[in-house]
Amino acid sequence: MADGGVAPPAADGHGRFIQRKELSGGVRGIRAERDEQRLSAYRSADREQIATALEDTLIVEAAAGTGKTTELVRRIVRVIQTGRAEVTGIVAVTFTEKAAGELKLRLREELERARENTPSNSDAGRLLDAAVHDFEEAQVSTIHGFCAELLRER
């Protein structure tokens, strides 16, 4: 990595600029933003890290259209599929109602797709069945909605 723990930037082939950074406390950050001028090698390793480094805490900072929701949904499905958490133990927050609705819809679709593609008699299949069954209890909302729910519980 270059000075300050920041990796050299690279574009991902779709005009999106990706930069990796080591943050304090072992948290790794991945930043992606649109930059139509940069056309270097695709950084699929960053996307793969988001989906597979399930024991790591990551901050993914990215501009609109860079694939944040897709990668977040993929990561949540993997967390559930591997038994690291149940759908009722995951909180996913966004800033707008529109984004929260999109995230919830896409997460439901991906959980159902993963369930269809996983043998139902396997551990992962049973975990995905439970996630689809309990999906309405999932905390997928705006940050304001999540905080309001916490206050209502008190």
Side-chain angles (χ1 to χ4, degrees):
M1 292 203 168
D3 292 333
V6 178
D12 69 357
H14 298 285
R16 294 177 288 216
F17 174 69
I18 297 174
Q19 183 176 26
R20 294 182 307 182
K21 182 176 182 179
E22 294 295 324
L23 304 173
S24 63
V27 176
R28 288 195 293 257
I30 299 172
R31 180 181 174 145
E33 57 190 49
R34 290 216 175 266
D35 186 344
E36 303 300 333
Q37 303 302 314
R38 299 180 191 263
L39 297 172
S40 58
Y42 182 73
R43 295 298 306 255
S44 62
D46 290 321
R47 293 182 185 278
E48 194 61 28
Q49 180 184 8
I50 293 168
T52 61
L54 302 178
E55 299 299 324
D56 295 343
T57 301
L58 300 175
I59 296 173
V60 179
E61 177 186 357
T66 56
K68 295 180 302 293
T69 302
T70 298
E71 296 307 323
L72 179 59
V73 165
R74 187 173 164 211
R75 183 175 176 91
I76 291 171
V77 170
R78 290 283 299 145
V79 164
I80 293 167
Q81 202 170 30
T82 58
R84 287 178 171 80
E86 295 177 2
V87 75
T88 56
I90 294 173
V91 175
V93 295
T94 64
F95 290 102
T96 67
E97 292 291 337
K98 181 179 177 185
E102 175 73 14
L103 178 58
K104 196 161 192 169
L105 176 68
R106 288 171 64 179
L107 181 56
R108 176 187 291 281
E109 290 171 351
E110 276 306 308
L111 284 169
E112 289 174 351
R113 186 174 297 122
R115 181 180 67 171
E116 290 171 7
N117 295 326
T118 304
S120 59
N121 61 347
S122 67
D123 289 340
R126 285 187 286 279
L127 293 167
L128 289 166
D129 279 340
V132 169
H133 179 267
D134 298 337
F135 187 76
E136 288 307 313
E137 296 176 41
Q139 291 289 327
V140 181
S141 64
T142 63
I143 193 158
H144 295 90
F146 175 68
C147 291
E149 184 64 30
L150 287 177
L151 292 172
R152 279 192 290 275
E153 288 179 8
R154 294 198 161 253

